[in-house]
Amino acid sequence: MDSSCVATSFRIPEQVLTSSGQRMQLLGFGTAAYPLVTPQVAKQAILQAIKLGHRHFDTAYIYGTEQPLGEAIVEAISLGLIISRDELFITTKLWCSNAYGELVLPQLRRSLQNLKMEYVDLFLIHWPLSLKPGRYEFPVRKVEISPMDFGSVWAAMEDCQRLGLTKSIGVSNFSCKKLADILALAKIPPAVNQVEFNPLWNQKKLREYCKANGVLLIGYSPLGASGTLWGSSRVLENEVLKEIAKAKGKTVAQICLKWAFEEGVGVIVKSFNVERMKQNLEILDWSLSEEERKRIGDLPQSRGCTGESFVSENGTFKTIEEFWDGEVGLHFHSKK
């Protein structure tokens, strides 16, 4: 059985990465589960996602899902769901405790071992800071946060790409200022900046900056990451979004994902529930009206994922505003 035999009506739009020419589905399948799930649950969800047509998978060293993802891909090939690993676009990330020049390559090699792969398609710096080496936990110990040496870490990321261990490199959770710092010293510019993105935090300024510099913005928490340490139900419970969803006969989640697509932004969406997986893919044969898009565009803006885990009075980043270089939104409110 080859991949053309997979029963799916979903044809997910793709985007070409400027820096490498790779094709990447704009709807990525996320594997950051909170509360944590067993490796078997993660593996089965990933297999189901492959059956439904997902070919872009997002993981990270700190998520603990690299190994289940790798095992799911091996099984998908053996079942004939895909012909080879080359049909997939795989992203993983450098955790902060390995964000030191000499530790970047060893972590990527460990990630590849977990994934049972010779390369990933995209390797991202997870957050713009360093932690004490050897710590793999979240929330982090704030006293162990230190500024990242962008020069040595980015040079090591570039080495990873030159060695063929990753096709592209990029960053995650970088403000315009921090992205500018990387661009100023990069020989290979970042292909992607993966950040929080949803109707209540539309990243207008950062999107414009990324576009002007050939960096693709990919959004996580497009539905607000309800039920996680870093998210809330504010997106799914928003009255305007609920009204639009009701009028359209769609779910709020579908409205959010369709809006992201129409804004030209790729998103990472995580659901291990099969029915919701299918619903998340049923966004390709209808459109939002100009009036609906305007109502969404007029929503008050503030961060949901504030980065408070990395902020402390006596630490490297003393306020949330400092951590994001002022990019917190006009209607920002700190979560207590």
Side-chain angles (χ1 to χ4, degrees):
M1 174 180 171
D2 63 30
S3 57
S4 65
C5 298
V6 179
T8 174
S9 58
F10 305 117
R11 293 291 176 264
I12 302 170
E14 296 181 336
Q15 175 88 26
V16 175
L17 294 187
T18 305
S19 64
S20 62
Q22 291 168 279
R23 301 191 71 81
M24 180 188 69
Q25 281 186 347
L26 282 175
L27 189 64
F29 187 83
T31 64
Y34 185 86
L36 296 176
V37 298
T38 66
Q40 188 61 23
V41 167
K43 177 184 169 183
Q44 289 306 313
I46 293 161
L47 267 173
Q48 184 62 46
I50 292 173
K51 288 176 186 174
L52 289 172
H54 279 286
R55 296 295 180 265
H56 172 190
F57 292 87
D58 181 271
T59 185
Y61 194 75
I62 196 66
Y63 299 165
T65 53
E66 289 176 333
Q67 201 160 339
L69 175 56
E71 290 173 359
I73 291 166
V74 169
E75 189 164 327
I77 293 169
S78 73
L79 292 171
L81 299 176
I82 53 175
I83 302 299
S84 73
R85 176 263 177 273
D86 294 343
E87 292 179 44
L88 306 176
F89 189 101
I90 307 297
T91 300
T92 195
K93 307 180 189 80
L94 175 79
W95 184 238
C96 309
S97 54
N98 290 322
Y100 299 89
E102 70 278 9
L103 299 182
V104 174
L105 185 56
Q107 193 213 283
L108 179 53
R109 290 193 190 281
R110 283 196 295 275
S111 290
L112 290 172
Q113 192 173 14
N114 288 340
L115 289 161
K116 300 177 174 60
M117 293 176 186
E118 294 180 359
Y119 70 92
V120 290
D121 296 277
L122 181 61
F123 188 39
L124 303 177
I125 296 175
H126 207 148
W127 288 89
L129 55 94
S130 296
L131 290 169
K132 183 177 179 180
R135 290 260 197 249
Y136 301 99
E137 58 190 14
F138 192 86
V140 304
R141 302 183 190 196
K142 296 186 179 187
V143 295
E144 296 180 352
I145 295 171
S146 61
M148 184 188 295
D149 177 0
F150 285 166
S152 66
V153 172
W154 191 253
M157 296 287 286
E158 292 178 335
D159 286 342
C160 291
Q161 182 166 334
R162 291 190 193 99
L163 288 166
L165 301 177
T166 181
K167 302 278 189 184
S168 296
I169 50 177
V171 297
S172 182
N173 299 300
F174 272 57
S175 64
C176 291
K177 180 184 181 301
K178 290 181 175 69
L179 184 55
D181 290 343
I182 293 286
L183 287 165
L185 53 82
K187 293 185 175 69
I188 303 173
V192 162
N193 186 11
Q194 188 186 115
V195 294
E196 178 190 5
F197 176 80
N198 54 59
L200 300 187
W201 187 236
N202 63 30
Q203 296 280 11
K204 191 168 185 292
K205 178 185 176 184
L206 183 60
R207 270 195 283 165
E208 289 170 358
Y209 185 79
C210 285
K211 187 175 181 181
N213 287 278
V215 179
L216 182 64
L217 188 139
I218 298 291
Y220 67 77
S221 299
L223 313 179
S226 179
T228 68
L229 277 174
W230 59 90
S232 72
S233 60
R234 69 191 193 120
V235 174
L236 294 178
E237 294 301 321
N238 181 269
E239 289 303 322
V240 170
L241 296 175
K242 284 161 83 170
E243 285 171 20
I244 294 171
K246 186 177 180 182
K248 278 275 198 245
K250 305 293 180 184
T251 66
V252 172
Q254 287 171 325
I255 298 298
C256 292
L257 296 176
K258 186 64 181 183
W259 167 81
F261 268 35
E262 292 187 353
E263 291 290 303
V265 176
V267 291
I268 305 298
V269 63
K270 180 257 146 192
S271 177
F272 287 1
N273 176 287
V274 176
E275 285 311 307
R276 283 200 293 271
M277 279 189 213
K278 290 176 181 173
Q279 287 177 2
N280 290 343
L281 287 165
E282 290 168 350
I283 56 171
L284 305 176
D285 58 353
W286 53 275
S287 301
L288 293 166
S289 69
E290 279 189 36
E291 183 191 350
E292 288 163 343
R293 288 166 57 82
K294 184 180 185 308
R295 289 186 74 194
I296 294 172
D298 288 342
L299 289 169
Q301 296 292 300
S302 64
R303 287 188 178 277
C305 182
T306 62
E308 280 185 318
S309 297
F310 304 118
V311 170
S312 62
E313 236 174 72
N314 302 313
T316 299
F317 303 103
K318 293 173 176 51
T319 65
I320 289 166
E321 287 80 359
E322 182 185 346
F323 183 73
W324 295 111
D325 301 301
E327 296 170 25
V328 293
L330 295 174
H331 303 271
F332 174 73
H333 59 278
S334 180
K335 287 191 301 181
K336 297 297 179 189

